[in-house]
Amino acid sequence: KAGVTQTPRYLIKTRGQQVTLSCSPISGHRSVSWYQQTPGQGLQFLFEYFSETQRNKGNFPGRFSGRQFSNSRSEMNVSTLELGDSALYLCASSLYRGADTEAFFGQGTRLTVV
Amino acid sequence: SQQGEEDPQALSIQEGENATMNCSYKTSINNLQWYRQNSGRGLVHLILIRSNEREKHSGRLRVTLDTSKKSSSLLITASRAADTASYFCATALYGNNRLAFGKGNQVVVIP
């Protein structure tokens, strides 16, 4: 069974640009969550999608958005990039919502904003 | 708010020794999960322990959970060089897939 796939693995963008990251969850998994990891703030929750609906949102500005498609694949978008958005963005896939489900992570997308 | 919080340790041990790291959290949880991360790559799921469980084993891993103290520990027995990584605990609230992570423990296993 294939794991969680995130594309691209690496990105370099300029301040002010926007970026879209993609996540394909494990087959059959319906919940996708996104996290940002930086040396200073650690791992922070961005949002969770389940059945194409955003179920939870972390404390990030509106420049961070996401969506989920009917096949459970998810994308997150960051507009008007800032230097501080440089981070490792991780996607997690879960079978269900709640109910003690394990979350499996992809390899991440390393975003560098210059 | 941050839920899982590991003891801010950086462990350096010899191969074959045991490594123990701790995690504390603030509110009632549904479950607690431990993850490993190698050099800023993706998180590898190690083990999930439910709030009604006290101890769980998986291979060389042993996790305990004390809900009265709101704490958990991860023990890696007979460590190997390949265990060198950062280890994170993460807590999930009831009916919620949102994970709150601790700051992580850096473990270095010297061959």
Side-chain angles (χ1 to χ4, degrees):
Chain A
K1 202 177 212 183
V4 180
T5 303
Q6 291 189 245
T7 56
R9 289 291 309 279
Y10 302 92
L11 265 179
I12 300 176
K13 289 286 187 179
T14 304
R15 266 185 307 174
Q17 287 187 314
Q18 75 164 19
V19 67
T20 299
L21 312 182
S22 178
C23 172
S24 292
I26 293 170
S27 178
H29 283 200
R30 296 169 61 194
S31 170
V32 174
S33 299
W34 289 88
Y35 294 83
Q36 181 197 64
Q37 185 178 27
T38 60
Q41 298 299 316
L43 280 150
Q44 294 187 289
F45 172 80
L46 280 157
F47 24 65
E48 179 207 354
Y49 286 87
F50 183 83
S51 294
E52 302 176 65
T53 302
Q54 187 179 89
R55 304 292 178 149
N56 254 307
K57 190 176 192 308
N59 189 25
F60 279 83
R63 300 184 297 105
F64 292 81
S65 63
R67 58 178 175 168
Q68 186 181 34
F69 302 95
S70 58
N71 61 358
S72 293
R73 189 177 72 84
S74 176
E75 289 181 347
M76 68 162 281
N77 184 279
V78 187
S79 62
T80 319
L81 284 165
E82 301 177 358
L83 295 179
D85 297 333
S86 295
L88 180 66
Y89 289 88
L90 293 161
C91 163
S93 157
S94 298
L95 186 58
Y96 303 116
R97 190 150 193 276
D100 296 327
T101 58
E102 296 160 322
F104 297 94
F105 284 78
Q107 287 296 301
T109 294
R110 172 76 62 185
L111 172 65
T112 302
V113 182
V114 297
Chain B
S1 62
Q2 193 81 359
Q3 282 266 50
E5 293 182 10
E6 293 88 359
D7 276 354
Q9 294 184 60
L11 296 174
S12 184
I13 57 175
Q14 294 290 325
E15 202 165 33
E17 293 181 338
N18 296 342
T20 300
M21 56 209 88
N22 300 302
C23 165
S24 61
Y25 55 92
K26 295 184 175 69
T27 65
S28 296
I29 60 171
N30 189 30
N31 64 65
L32 186 145
Q33 304 182 48
W34 283 92
Y35 290 87
R36 184 185 75 228
Q37 186 178 42
N38 294 87
S39 301
R41 302 184 67 183
L43 296 169
V44 175
H45 188 272
L46 296 176
I47 199 164
L48 177 151
I49 186 164
R50 295 176 173 78
S51 59
N52 61 353
E53 297 177 314
R54 292 297 165 257
E55 188 172 310
K56 203 161 180 181
H57 295 255
S58 177
R60 293 183 296 111
L61 305 178
R62 173 177 168 257
V63 169
T64 63
L65 179 66
D66 186 335
T67 52
S68 66
K69 295 181 179 177
K70 293 187 170 56
S71 67
S72 173
S73 68
L74 170 67
L75 167 68
I76 305 172
T77 60
S79 62
R80 304 167 182 169
D83 294 329
T84 294
S86 293
Y87 292 84
F88 294 88
C89 73
T91 54
L93 304 181
Y94 288 99
N96 201 322
N97 280 3
R98 173 176 182 161
L99 294 175
F101 282 88
K103 291 178 172 51
N105 271 294
Q106 179 96 31
V107 175
V108 175
V109 181
I110 303 165

